[in-house]
Amino acid sequence: MGESMVLDVARLRRGCAQCSLQQLCLPAGIGAQDLQRLDEIVRRRRPVERGERLFRPGDALSAVYVARDGAFKTVSISEDGEEQVVGFHLPGELIGLDALGAGEHRCEAVALTIANVCEVPFDLLAEVASQLPSLQQQLLRVIGQSVGRDQDHLGMLVRRQANERIALFLHGLAERFRNIGESGTQFKLPMSREDIARYLGLALETVSRGFTRLQDDGVIAVVGRRVEILDAEELACLAHGGDSDEAAERRSRRA
Amino acid sequence: MGESMVLDVARLRRGCAQCSLQQLCLPAGIGAQDLQRLDEIVRRRRPVERGERLFRPGDALSAVYVARDGAFKTVSISEDGEEQVVGFHLPGELIGLDALGAGEHRCEAVALTIANVCEVPFDLLAEVASQLPSLQQQLLRVIGQSVGRDQDHLGMLVRRQANERIALFLHGLAERFRNIGESGTQFKLPMSREDIARYLGLALETVSRGFTRLQDDGVIAVVGRRVEILDAEELACLAHGGDSDEAAERRSRRA
DNA sequence: CGCAGAGTTGATACCAGTCAACAAAAGTGG
DNA sequence: CCACTTTTGTTGACTGGTATCAACTCTGCG
């Protein structure tokens, strides 16, 4: 038992080369020697508590972050104090790019769970990237993926009604869980109904009703934050605006 | 007269160093010799016609584009054929970053007016950027600004009602016109009501009604696509969710 | 001049926000 | 470990903003 503890600590220390997220994160597609250069500039933080912030609006861009586990949300606060959830971040997804434009953060990044984070000082990252074409390429790709998620988010909000947004949200989240090697059919939501509502641009009551409805239709099973996807096909269909006969039938059977 | 023609042509050929957009576009903050390296890889296209496309969904990322004049929209087409306007692009704003993530474009870029475009082959850009830290930095900044605009777009859509969205849209557009040295109080919209509707996630009738209402309240004057902002302060106020007494009063006076 | 596309305006229906009460879960302290 | 508080989630009734359908007008253009 003492020995396995030692091994675990050693693994934590060994950094990017052993990280399970290697293929998703900055190291993807980088050779062994080069990987070491990246690894040297990555600072591993102590675990952050739920509710802790990585940065706040106005903070200078000093580093970008990647969660090794846990989850984060980024929130932008409008002048009237309304909080808009800009994105959720699962392990391997870069956090902090919102500061690229102006050099200071527009959002705050809040931990939704206890989490371990890799902190990558931005100036060093830029420096190393300019020396390693493969890292530069991967950096641009990761930034691009983040832009892509933002666009998906946009598509989720515009001209879609509440039930569609919710289906799309669950569908997308399931896919992201699968990508990082977790179950895409059974998971615990790291965020509250309110967070989801602020992400989807809905009232929290509407989100709650949407979940219930999906459950009534036999598409998912929900207990609090535990979600099981029972009919992934139907969920995908709802996400793309279709309301299949299947669901209609199930509803009528109950009535 | 012949002489001035020659001068004009020469100026067009002289490229980035003489471009009025220098401070907004990729060259910003780059030294004279380095600028030449960037200039050498930029291809100047013949003018593109209104309705012409720079790229389509699925096209490989071969270049990024910057309009020297005119305007573009980027449109993402969902599987059910619905067109969502992802962004409008004025001169100096990078077009084509949507392909960074997957290496192929997710959107199509359509010219809203006749326009001149600089085309920057992406592989060459990446190569030169890795050799010129100042260009790399500027590239990241321009990308960041684009991310910032996307986030503004998001904030424009979520939990804001129609009139707010429209006010915010006009307010933001005016600011962008000012940034490129054009009038921020009087301009011609390069896009149709339908484009605006698809950008704001509204029905086109709602956009039309919104414009009329702003006009009735004395905030703007609209004739077709010509817009004049009469009360910028009030517009800013409406954009941030306030419905001032001023406007209410004007409305009651009419009634 | 006449046509097609773009924009405006009106009437109606419905989705989702709001207010309110309640239920369940998660902390908290004795 | 249990009672208490607080937070989080669910459900119902009502209202209002916006989409939709439809008719009409205006503008630019061949």
Side-chain angles (χ1 to χ4, degrees):
Chain A
M1 173 181 150
E3 200 163 283
S4 84
M5 276 274 297
V6 171
L7 278 176
D8 282 0
V9 170
R11 179 174 302 154
L12 277 174
R13 292 231 174 93
R14 247 185 283 144
C16 296
Q18 262 65 36
C19 181
S20 63
L21 296 169
Q22 218 193 114
Q23 292 316 312
L24 305 162
C25 186
L26 287 171
I30 295 182
Q33 312 100 306
D34 292 350
L35 184 54
Q36 204 185 331
R37 300 230 18 222
L38 172 62
D39 195 47
E40 275 159 12
I41 65 169
V42 174
R43 282 174 39 197
R44 239 91 33 197
R45 283 185 155 224
R46 62 175 171 70
V48 298
E49 292 299 323
R50 177 185 158 135
E52 211 175 314
R53 284 163 179 78
L54 295 177
F55 50 79
R56 292 158 192 276
D59 285 359
L61 168 59
S62 62
V64 295
Y65 305 84
V66 188
R68 295 165 63 93
D69 53 49
F72 287 80
K73 63 174 175 182
T74 41
V75 180
S76 101
I77 296 152
S78 65
E79 36 221 302
D80 53 339
E82 288 268 310
E83 299 195 354
Q84 160 64 16
V85 175
V86 174
F88 296 113
H89 307 267
L90 301 186
E93 298 170 356
L94 228 52
I95 306 172
L97 295 174
D98 63 302
L100 271 187
E104 61 179 50
H105 290 282
R106 310 160 42 107
C107 305
E108 60 177 31
V110 186
L112 294 167
T113 61
I114 327 178
N116 286 291
V117 194
C118 294
E119 182 180 338
V120 192
F122 186 72
D123 46 358
L124 295 178
L125 177 62
E127 194 186 314
V128 177
S130 71
Q131 292 159 21
L132 305 178
S134 57
L135 176 58
Q136 192 199 33
Q137 206 178 328
Q138 177 62 8
L139 179 59
L140 286 174
R141 186 154 54 222
V142 174
I143 292 174
Q145 282 163 0
S146 155
V147 172
R149 271 193 304 277
D150 285 356
Q151 271 188 29
D152 289 340
H153 184 191
L154 210 97
M156 208 176 288
L157 293 176
V158 174
R159 295 281 263 158
R160 298 205 120 86
Q161 39 197 50
N163 291 329
E164 255 175 281
R165 293 188 204 185
I166 293 164
L168 213 41
F169 169 72
L170 284 172
H171 182 68
L173 200 61
E175 189 178 325
R176 281 158 72 188
F177 274 123
R178 250 184 289 114
N179 275 342
I180 58 171
E182 302 199 10
S183 166
T185 55
Q186 234 179 321
F187 46 84
K188 183 160 183 278
L189 297 170
M191 71 293 279
S192 69
R193 298 287 189 272
E194 184 166 13
D195 286 333
I196 299 174
R198 293 205 160 128
Y199 180 73
L200 295 179
L202 299 169
L204 70 87
E205 293 95 324
T206 308
V207 174
S208 187
R209 280 187 247 269
F211 276 49
T212 316
R213 163 106 185 245
L214 284 172
Q215 175 155 255
D216 291 350
D217 290 355
V219 182
I220 61 173
V222 205
V223 187
R225 296 192 179 183
R226 285 232 60 90
V227 174
E228 184 176 0
I229 294 178
L230 302 171
D231 187 344
E233 200 177 334
E234 177 64 16
L235 183 66
C237 174
L238 290 170
H240 301 316
D243 186 9
S244 77
D245 305 333
E246 210 181 320
E249 189 200 315
R250 254 193 292 259
R251 271 196 303 281
S252 63
R253 212 181 303 150
R254 264 178 299 105
Chain B
M1 174 179 149
E3 201 165 280
S4 84
M5 277 274 298
V6 171
L7 278 177
D8 282 359
V9 170
R11 182 175 301 156
L12 276 175
R13 291 232 175 92
R14 248 184 282 145
C16 296
Q18 263 64 37
C19 181
S20 63
L21 295 169
Q22 218 194 113
Q23 291 315 312
L24 304 162
C25 187
L26 286 172
I30 294 182
Q33 312 99 309
D34 293 349
L35 184 54
Q36 203 184 332
R37 302 235 13 226
L38 171 61
D39 196 49
E40 275 160 12
I41 65 170
V42 174
R43 282 175 39 197
R44 241 104 13 208
R45 282 183 156 227
R46 62 173 171 72
V48 299
E49 293 298 323
R50 177 184 158 134
E52 209 175 314
R53 284 165 180 74
L54 295 176
F55 50 79
R56 291 159 191 277
D59 286 359
L61 168 60
S62 61
V64 294
Y65 305 84
V66 187
R68 294 166 63 91
D69 53 48
F72 287 81
K73 63 174 175 182
T74 41
V75 181
S76 103
I77 296 151
S78 65
E79 35 222 300
D80 54 340
E82 288 267 312
E83 298 194 356
Q84 159 64 16
V85 175
V86 175
F88 297 113
H89 305 268
L90 301 186
E93 298 169 355
L94 227 53
I95 307 173
L97 294 175
D98 62 302
L100 270 186
E104 61 179 51
H105 289 282
R106 311 159 42 107
C107 305
E108 60 177 31
V110 186
L112 293 169
T113 62
I114 326 177
N116 286 292
V117 193
C118 294
E119 181 180 337
V120 191
F122 186 72
D123 46 358
L124 294 178
L125 177 62
E127 194 185 315
V128 177
S130 72
Q131 290 159 21
L132 305 178
S134 58
L135 177 58
Q136 191 198 36
Q137 204 178 329
Q138 178 61 8
L139 179 59
L140 286 174
R141 185 155 52 224
V142 175
I143 293 174
Q145 281 162 1
S146 155
V147 172
R149 271 193 303 277
D150 286 356
Q151 271 189 28
D152 290 341
H153 184 190
L154 211 98
M156 210 175 289
L157 294 175
V158 173
R159 299 279 261 154
R160 299 203 119 86
Q161 39 198 53
N163 290 329
E164 257 175 281
R165 293 188 203 185
I166 293 165
L168 215 40
F169 169 71
L170 284 172
H171 181 70
L173 200 61
E175 189 178 324
R176 282 158 71 189
F177 274 124
R178 251 183 289 115
N179 275 342
I180 59 173
E182 303 201 8
S183 166
T185 55
Q186 233 178 322
F187 45 84
K188 183 159 182 278
L189 296 171
M191 70 293 279
S192 69
R193 297 287 188 272
E194 183 165 12
D195 286 334
I196 299 174
R198 293 204 160 130
Y199 180 72
L200 294 180
L202 299 169
L204 71 86
E205 294 94 326
T206 308
V207 174
S208 187
R209 280 186 247 268
F211 276 48
T212 314
R213 163 105 185 246
L214 283 172
Q215 175 154 254
D216 289 351
D217 289 356
V219 182
I220 61 173
V222 206
V223 188
R225 296 195 178 184
R226 285 231 59 91
V227 174
E228 183 176 2
I229 294 178
L230 302 172
D231 186 345
E233 200 177 335
E234 178 64 16
L235 183 66
C237 174
L238 289 170
H240 301 316
D243 184 8
S244 77
D245 304 333
E246 212 182 318
E249 187 201 315
R250 256 191 293 257
R251 273 195 302 281
S252 62
R253 212 180 303 150
R254 265 177 298 107

Short mmCIF file of all heavy atoms in Angstrom, two decimals, chain A residues 23-72:
data_model
loop_
_atom_site.label_atom_id
_atom_site.label_comp_id
_atom_site.label_asym_id
_atom_site.label_seq_id
_atom_site.Cartn_x
_atom_site.Cartn_y
_atom_site.Cartn_z
N GLN A 23 -3.26 13.06 -25.74
CA GLN A 23 -3.70 13.14 -27.13
C GLN A 23 -4.69 14.26 -27.40
O GLN A 23 -4.95 14.62 -28.54
CB GLN A 23 -4.29 11.79 -27.58
CG GLN A 23 -3.26 10.68 -27.67
CD GLN A 23 -1.96 11.13 -28.35
OE1 GLN A 23 -1.99 11.73 -29.41
NE2 GLN A 23 -0.83 10.88 -27.71
N LEU A 24 -5.24 14.83 -26.33
CA LEU A 24 -6.26 15.86 -26.51
C LEU A 24 -5.73 17.25 -26.25
O LEU A 24 -6.27 18.24 -26.70
CB LEU A 24 -7.41 15.61 -25.52
CG LEU A 24 -8.03 14.23 -25.58
CD1 LEU A 24 -8.80 13.96 -24.31
CD2 LEU A 24 -8.92 14.15 -26.79
N CYS A 25 -4.65 17.27 -25.49
CA CYS A 25 -4.18 18.53 -24.93
C CYS A 25 -3.06 19.06 -25.81
O CYS A 25 -2.88 18.63 -26.95
CB CYS A 25 -3.73 18.22 -23.50
SG CYS A 25 -3.25 19.63 -22.52
N LEU A 26 -2.32 20.00 -25.30
CA LEU A 26 -1.25 20.61 -26.09
C LEU A 26 -0.21 19.61 -26.60
O LEU A 26 0.32 19.80 -27.71
CB LEU A 26 -0.57 21.71 -25.27
CG LEU A 26 -1.39 22.99 -25.12
CD1 LEU A 26 -0.74 23.94 -24.13
CD2 LEU A 26 -1.56 23.67 -26.47
N PRO A 27 0.15 18.56 -25.85
CA PRO A 27 1.22 17.69 -26.32
C PRO A 27 0.91 16.89 -27.59
O PRO A 27 1.84 16.34 -28.19
CB PRO A 27 1.42 16.71 -25.14
CG PRO A 27 0.88 17.41 -23.96
CD PRO A 27 -0.26 18.22 -24.49
N ALA A 28 -0.35 16.83 -27.99
CA ALA A 28 -0.70 15.95 -29.11
C ALA A 28 0.17 16.21 -30.33
O ALA A 28 0.35 17.35 -30.75
CB ALA A 28 -2.17 16.14 -29.48
N GLY A 29 0.71 15.15 -30.87
CA GLY A 29 1.47 15.27 -32.10
C GLY A 29 2.87 15.83 -31.93
O GLY A 29 3.50 16.28 -32.88
N ILE A 30 3.35 15.82 -30.71
CA ILE A 30 4.68 16.38 -30.44
C ILE A 30 5.65 15.25 -30.07
O ILE A 30 5.30 14.35 -29.32
CB ILE A 30 4.60 17.41 -29.30
CG1 ILE A 30 3.75 18.59 -29.76
CG2 ILE A 30 5.98 17.88 -28.87
CD1 ILE A 30 3.65 19.69 -28.75
N GLY A 31 6.84 15.33 -30.57
CA GLY A 31 7.85 14.29 -30.34
C GLY A 31 8.35 14.28 -28.90
O GLY A 31 8.10 15.21 -28.14
N ALA A 32 9.04 13.21 -28.54
CA ALA A 32 9.43 12.97 -27.16
C ALA A 32 10.34 14.07 -26.59
O ALA A 32 10.10 14.58 -25.49
CB ALA A 32 10.11 11.61 -27.03
N GLN A 33 11.36 14.45 -27.35
CA GLN A 33 12.27 15.47 -26.81
C GLN A 33 11.56 16.81 -26.66
O GLN A 33 11.68 17.50 -25.65
CB GLN A 33 13.49 15.69 -27.71
CG GLN A 33 14.20 14.44 -28.16
CD GLN A 33 13.77 14.09 -29.58
OE1 GLN A 33 12.57 13.96 -29.85
NE2 GLN A 33 14.73 13.93 -30.48
N ASP A 34 10.80 17.15 -27.70
CA ASP A 34 10.08 18.41 -27.68
C ASP A 34 9.08 18.44 -26.53
O ASP A 34 8.88 19.47 -25.89
CB ASP A 34 9.34 18.62 -29.01
CG ASP A 34 10.32 18.86 -30.15
OD1 ASP A 34 11.53 19.04 -29.86
OD2 ASP A 34 9.89 18.85 -31.31
N LEU A 35 8.47 17.27 -26.30
CA LEU A 35 7.49 17.19 -25.23
C LEU A 35 8.11 17.62 -23.91
O LEU A 35 7.47 18.30 -23.11
CB LEU A 35 6.96 15.76 -25.12
CG LEU A 35 5.84 15.55 -24.10
CD1 LEU A 35 4.69 16.51 -24.37
CD2 LEU A 35 5.34 14.12 -24.16
N GLN A 36 9.35 17.26 -23.74
CA GLN A 36 10.01 17.61 -22.49
C GLN A 36 10.11 19.12 -22.31
O GLN A 36 9.91 19.65 -21.22
CB GLN A 36 11.40 16.98 -22.43
CG GLN A 36 11.87 16.80 -21.00
CD GLN A 36 13.30 16.29 -20.96
OE1 GLN A 36 13.75 15.59 -21.87
NE2 GLN A 36 14.01 16.65 -19.90
N ARG A 37 10.38 19.81 -23.42
CA ARG A 37 10.48 21.27 -23.34
C ARG A 37 9.17 21.88 -22.88
O ARG A 37 9.13 22.82 -22.09
CB ARG A 37 10.87 21.86 -24.70
CG ARG A 37 12.20 21.34 -25.21
CD ARG A 37 13.13 22.45 -25.65
NE ARG A 37 12.79 23.77 -25.16
CZ ARG A 37 12.85 24.86 -25.88
NH1 ARG A 37 13.20 24.78 -27.15
NH2 ARG A 37 12.57 26.04 -25.36
N LEU A 38 8.06 21.33 -23.43
CA LEU A 38 6.74 21.81 -23.02
C LEU A 38 6.52 21.50 -21.55
O LEU A 38 6.08 22.34 -20.77
CB LEU A 38 5.65 21.14 -23.87
CG LEU A 38 4.21 21.40 -23.43
CD1 LEU A 38 3.87 22.89 -23.50
CD2 LEU A 38 3.23 20.62 -24.30
N ASP A 39 6.86 20.27 -21.20
CA ASP A 39 6.63 19.80 -19.85
C ASP A 39 7.32 20.68 -18.82
O ASP A 39 6.80 20.94 -17.73
CB ASP A 39 7.13 18.35 -19.73
CG ASP A 39 6.59 17.68 -18.50
OD1 ASP A 39 5.38 17.78 -18.25
OD2 ASP A 39 7.38 17.08 -17.77
N GLU A 40 8.49 21.19 -19.19
CA GLU A 40 9.29 21.97 -18.24
C GLU A 40 8.61 23.28 -17.86
O GLU A 40 8.86 23.81 -16.78
CB GLU A 40 10.67 22.27 -18.84
CG GLU A 40 11.66 21.13 -18.60
CD GLU A 40 12.82 21.18 -19.58
OE1 GLU A 40 12.96 22.21 -20.28
OE2 GLU A 40 13.56 20.19 -19.67
N ILE A 41 7.80 23.82 -18.77
CA ILE A 41 7.19 25.11 -18.43
C ILE A 41 5.82 24.95 -17.78
O ILE A 41 5.26 25.91 -17.27
CB ILE A 41 7.05 26.02 -19.67
CG1 ILE A 41 6.08 25.43 -20.69
CG2 ILE A 41 8.42 26.26 -20.31
CD1 ILE A 41 5.72 26.40 -21.79
N VAL A 42 5.27 23.74 -17.77
CA VAL A 42 3.95 23.53 -17.18
C VAL A 42 4.05 23.46 -15.66
O VAL A 42 4.81 22.67 -15.13
CB VAL A 42 3.30 22.23 -17.70
CG1 VAL A 42 2.01 21.95 -16.95
CG2 VAL A 42 3.06 22.31 -19.18
N ARG A 43 3.27 24.31 -15.01
CA ARG A 43 3.23 24.24 -13.54
C ARG A 43 2.00 23.45 -13.12
O ARG A 43 0.91 23.70 -13.59
CB ARG A 43 3.18 25.64 -12.96
CG ARG A 43 4.54 26.33 -12.96
CD ARG A 43 4.42 27.76 -12.50
NE ARG A 43 3.48 27.90 -11.40
CZ ARG A 43 2.94 29.05 -11.03
NH1 ARG A 43 3.22 30.15 -11.68
NH2 ARG A 43 2.10 29.11 -10.00
N ARG A 44 2.21 22.49 -12.23
CA ARG A 44 1.05 21.75 -11.73
C ARG A 44 0.62 22.42 -10.44
O ARG A 44 1.40 22.62 -9.52
CB ARG A 44 1.44 20.27 -11.46
CG ARG A 44 0.64 19.25 -12.21
CD ARG A 44 1.19 18.82 -13.55
NE ARG A 44 2.62 18.80 -13.63
CZ ARG A 44 3.28 18.77 -14.77
NH1 ARG A 44 2.64 18.75 -15.90
NH2 ARG A 44 4.60 18.78 -14.78
N ARG A 45 -0.66 22.78 -10.38
CA ARG A 45 -1.17 23.46 -9.20
C ARG A 45 -1.66 22.45 -8.18
O ARG A 45 -2.03 21.36 -8.52
CB ARG A 45 -2.38 24.30 -9.59
CG ARG A 45 -2.06 25.59 -10.26
CD ARG A 45 -3.36 26.33 -10.45
NE ARG A 45 -3.15 27.76 -10.54
CZ ARG A 45 -3.88 28.65 -9.91
NH1 ARG A 45 -4.86 28.25 -9.12
NH2 ARG A 45 -3.65 29.94 -10.04
N ARG A 46 -1.71 22.87 -6.96
CA ARG A 46 -2.42 22.08 -5.96
C ARG A 46 -3.89 21.99 -6.40
O ARG A 46 -4.35 22.82 -7.19
CB ARG A 46 -2.33 22.74 -4.59
CG ARG A 46 -2.97 24.12 -4.57
CD ARG A 46 -2.98 24.72 -3.19
NE ARG A 46 -3.41 26.10 -3.24
CZ ARG A 46 -4.65 26.51 -3.51
NH1 ARG A 46 -5.59 25.62 -3.76
NH2 ARG A 46 -4.95 27.80 -3.55
N PRO A 47 -4.61 20.99 -5.90
CA PRO A 47 -6.03 20.89 -6.28
C PRO A 47 -6.76 22.18 -5.94
O PRO A 47 -6.49 22.79 -4.92
CB PRO A 47 -6.55 19.74 -5.40
CG PRO A 47 -5.35 18.96 -5.03
CD PRO A 47 -4.19 19.90 -5.02
N VAL A 48 -7.65 22.61 -6.83
CA VAL A 48 -8.45 23.80 -6.53
C VAL A 48 -9.80 23.34 -5.99
O VAL A 48 -10.35 22.32 -6.39
CB VAL A 48 -8.66 24.69 -7.77
CG1 VAL A 48 -7.33 25.21 -8.29
CG2 VAL A 48 -9.38 23.95 -8.88
N GLU A 49 -10.32 24.12 -5.05
CA GLU A 49 -11.60 23.81 -4.42
C GLU A 49 -12.74 24.17 -5.34
O GLU A 49 -12.61 25.04 -6.20
CB GLU A 49 -11.76 24.62 -3.13
CG GLU A 49 -10.81 24.24 -2.02
CD GLU A 49 -10.99 22.79 -1.58
OE1 GLU A 49 -12.16 22.32 -1.56
OE2 GLU A 49 -9.98 22.13 -1.29
N ARG A 50 -13.87 23.53 -5.12
CA ARG A 50 -15.09 23.92 -5.80
C ARG A 50 -15.40 25.39 -5.49
O ARG A 50 -15.33 25.81 -4.33
CB ARG A 50 -16.22 23.03 -5.28
CG ARG A 50 -17.56 23.35 -5.81
CD ARG A 50 -18.60 22.47 -5.13
NE ARG A 50 -19.90 23.09 -5.25
CZ ARG A 50 -21.00 22.45 -5.59
NH1 ARG A 50 -20.96 21.16 -5.81
NH2 ARG A 50 -22.14 23.09 -5.70
N GLY A 51 -15.67 26.16 -6.54
CA GLY A 51 -15.97 27.58 -6.34
C GLY A 51 -14.75 28.49 -6.48
O GLY A 51 -14.90 29.70 -6.62
N GLU A 52 -13.56 27.90 -6.44
CA GLU A 52 -12.33 28.70 -6.57
C GLU A 52 -12.21 29.23 -8.00
O GLU A 52 -12.68 28.60 -8.94
CB GLU A 52 -11.13 27.81 -6.22
CG GLU A 52 -9.97 28.56 -5.60
CD GLU A 52 -8.86 27.60 -5.17
OE1 GLU A 52 -9.16 26.56 -4.54
OE2 GLU A 52 -7.68 27.88 -5.49
N ARG A 53 -11.55 30.40 -8.12
CA ARG A 53 -11.41 31.02 -9.44
C ARG A 53 -9.98 30.96 -9.93
O ARG A 53 -9.06 31.20 -9.17
CB ARG A 53 -11.86 32.48 -9.38
CG ARG A 53 -13.36 32.65 -9.34
CD ARG A 53 -13.75 34.04 -8.87
NE ARG A 53 -15.21 34.20 -8.87
CZ ARG A 53 -16.00 33.72 -7.94
NH1 ARG A 53 -15.49 33.03 -6.93
NH2 ARG A 53 -17.31 33.90 -8.01
N LEU A 54 -9.81 30.66 -11.21
CA LEU A 54 -8.47 30.67 -11.81
C LEU A 54 -8.06 32.09 -12.15
O LEU A 54 -6.90 32.45 -12.06
CB LEU A 54 -8.44 29.80 -13.07
CG LEU A 54 -8.68 28.30 -12.88
CD1 LEU A 54 -8.69 27.59 -14.21
CD2 LEU A 54 -7.59 27.71 -11.97
N PHE A 55 -9.04 32.86 -12.59
CA PHE A 55 -8.79 34.27 -12.89
C PHE A 55 -10.11 35.01 -12.87
O PHE A 55 -11.17 34.39 -12.90
CB PHE A 55 -8.08 34.44 -14.25
CG PHE A 55 -8.74 33.70 -15.37
CD1 PHE A 55 -9.88 34.21 -16.00
CD2 PHE A 55 -8.24 32.47 -15.82
CE1 PHE A 55 -10.49 33.54 -17.03
CE2 PHE A 55 -8.85 31.78 -16.86
CZ PHE A 55 -9.98 32.31 -17.46
N ARG A 56 -10.03 36.32 -12.82
CA ARG A 56 -11.22 37.17 -12.79
C ARG A 56 -11.18 38.17 -13.94
O ARG A 56 -10.11 38.42 -14.49
CB ARG A 56 -11.27 37.96 -11.47
CG ARG A 56 -11.51 37.10 -10.27
CD ARG A 56 -11.03 37.81 -9.00
NE ARG A 56 -11.00 36.89 -7.87
CZ ARG A 56 -12.06 36.61 -7.11
NH1 ARG A 56 -13.22 37.19 -7.36
NH2 ARG A 56 -11.97 35.75 -6.11
N PRO A 57 -12.31 38.76 -14.26
CA PRO A 57 -12.32 39.74 -15.34
C PRO A 57 -11.33 40.87 -15.01
O PRO A 57 -11.27 41.33 -13.88
CB PRO A 57 -13.74 40.29 -15.33
CG PRO A 57 -14.55 39.24 -14.66
CD PRO A 57 -13.66 38.56 -13.70
N GLY A 58 -10.54 41.27 -15.98
CA GLY A 58 -9.59 42.35 -15.77
C GLY A 58 -8.19 41.85 -15.45
O GLY A 58 -7.22 42.58 -15.61
N ASP A 59 -8.08 40.61 -14.96
CA ASP A 59 -6.75 40.04 -14.70
C ASP A 59 -5.95 40.00 -15.99
O ASP A 59 -6.49 39.72 -17.06
CB ASP A 59 -6.86 38.60 -14.16
CG ASP A 59 -7.32 38.56 -12.71
OD1 ASP A 59 -7.53 39.65 -12.13
OD2 ASP A 59 -7.46 37.45 -12.17
N ALA A 60 -4.66 40.28 -15.87
CA ALA A 60 -3.79 40.20 -17.04
C ALA A 60 -3.66 38.74 -17.47
O ALA A 60 -3.76 37.82 -16.65
CB ALA A 60 -2.42 40.78 -16.72
N LEU A 61 -3.46 38.55 -18.77
CA LEU A 61 -3.24 37.20 -19.28
C LEU A 61 -1.86 36.74 -18.84
O LEU A 61 -0.86 37.16 -19.38
CB LEU A 61 -3.30 37.21 -20.82
CG LEU A 61 -2.81 35.96 -21.54
CD1 LEU A 61 -3.61 34.74 -21.13
CD2 LEU A 61 -2.92 36.14 -23.04
N SER A 62 -1.81 35.89 -17.82
CA SER A 62 -0.50 35.41 -17.39
C SER A 62 -0.29 33.96 -17.76
O SER A 62 0.82 33.51 -17.99
CB SER A 62 -0.34 35.59 -15.87
OG SER A 62 -1.32 34.83 -15.19
N ALA A 63 -1.39 33.22 -17.86
CA ALA A 63 -1.26 31.80 -18.16
C ALA A 63 -2.53 31.27 -18.79
O ALA A 63 -3.59 31.89 -18.67
CB ALA A 63 -0.98 31.01 -16.88
N VAL A 64 -2.43 30.15 -19.49
CA VAL A 64 -3.62 29.41 -19.86
C VAL A 64 -3.66 28.15 -19.01
O VAL A 64 -2.64 27.74 -18.47
CB VAL A 64 -3.67 29.06 -21.36
CG1 VAL A 64 -3.78 30.32 -22.20
CG2 VAL A 64 -2.47 28.26 -21.77
N TYR A 65 -4.83 27.57 -18.88
CA TYR A 65 -5.02 26.47 -17.95
C TYR A 65 -5.68 25.28 -18.64
O TYR A 65 -6.46 25.45 -19.58
CB TYR A 65 -5.91 26.90 -16.77
CG TYR A 65 -5.40 28.13 -16.05
CD1 TYR A 65 -5.69 29.41 -16.52
CD2 TYR A 65 -4.61 28.01 -14.91
CE1 TYR A 65 -5.22 30.54 -15.87
CE2 TYR A 65 -4.13 29.13 -14.25
CZ TYR A 65 -4.44 30.40 -14.74
OH TYR A 65 -3.96 31.51 -14.10
N VAL A 66 -5.35 24.09 -18.16
CA VAL A 66 -6.05 22.90 -18.61
C VAL A 66 -6.36 22.06 -17.40
O VAL A 66 -5.47 21.77 -16.59
CB VAL A 66 -5.20 22.04 -19.57
CG1 VAL A 66 -6.03 20.93 -20.14
CG2 VAL A 66 -4.60 22.88 -20.66
N ALA A 67 -7.61 21.66 -17.24
CA ALA A 67 -7.98 20.78 -16.14
C ALA A 67 -7.51 19.37 -16.46
O ALA A 67 -7.62 18.91 -17.61
CB ALA A 67 -9.48 20.81 -15.92
N ARG A 68 -6.94 18.69 -15.49
CA ARG A 68 -6.58 17.29 -15.66
C ARG A 68 -7.78 16.42 -15.29
O ARG A 68 -7.96 15.33 -15.80
CB ARG A 68 -5.40 16.92 -14.75
CG ARG A 68 -4.10 17.63 -15.11
CD ARG A 68 -3.11 17.50 -13.98
NE ARG A 68 -2.74 16.11 -13.73
CZ ARG A 68 -1.69 15.51 -14.28
NH1 ARG A 68 -0.93 16.18 -15.13
NH2 ARG A 68 -1.41 14.27 -14.00
N ASP A 69 -8.56 16.92 -14.35
CA ASP A 69 -9.82 16.27 -13.99
C ASP A 69 -10.74 17.36 -13.48
O ASP A 69 -10.33 18.51 -13.34
CB ASP A 69 -9.60 15.18 -12.93
CG ASP A 69 -8.84 15.73 -11.74
OD1 ASP A 69 -9.23 16.79 -11.22
OD2 ASP A 69 -7.83 15.11 -11.34
N GLY A 70 -11.98 17.03 -13.17
CA GLY A 70 -12.91 18.04 -12.69
C GLY A 70 -13.49 18.84 -13.84
O GLY A 70 -13.38 18.47 -15.01
N ALA A 71 -14.10 19.96 -13.51
CA ALA A 71 -14.73 20.77 -14.53
C ALA A 71 -14.77 22.23 -14.11
O ALA A 71 -14.78 22.54 -12.92
CB ALA A 71 -16.15 20.27 -14.81
N PHE A 72 -14.79 23.10 -15.10
CA PHE A 72 -14.85 24.54 -14.86
C PHE A 72 -15.96 25.16 -15.69
O PHE A 72 -16.42 24.57 -16.68
CB PHE A 72 -13.52 25.20 -15.25
CG PHE A 72 -12.40 24.92 -14.28
CD1 PHE A 72 -11.71 23.73 -14.33
CD2 PHE A 72 -12.07 25.86 -13.32
CE1 PHE A 72 -10.70 23.47 -13.42
CE2 PHE A 72 -11.06 25.60 -12.41
CZ PHE A 72 -10.37 24.40 -12.46
#
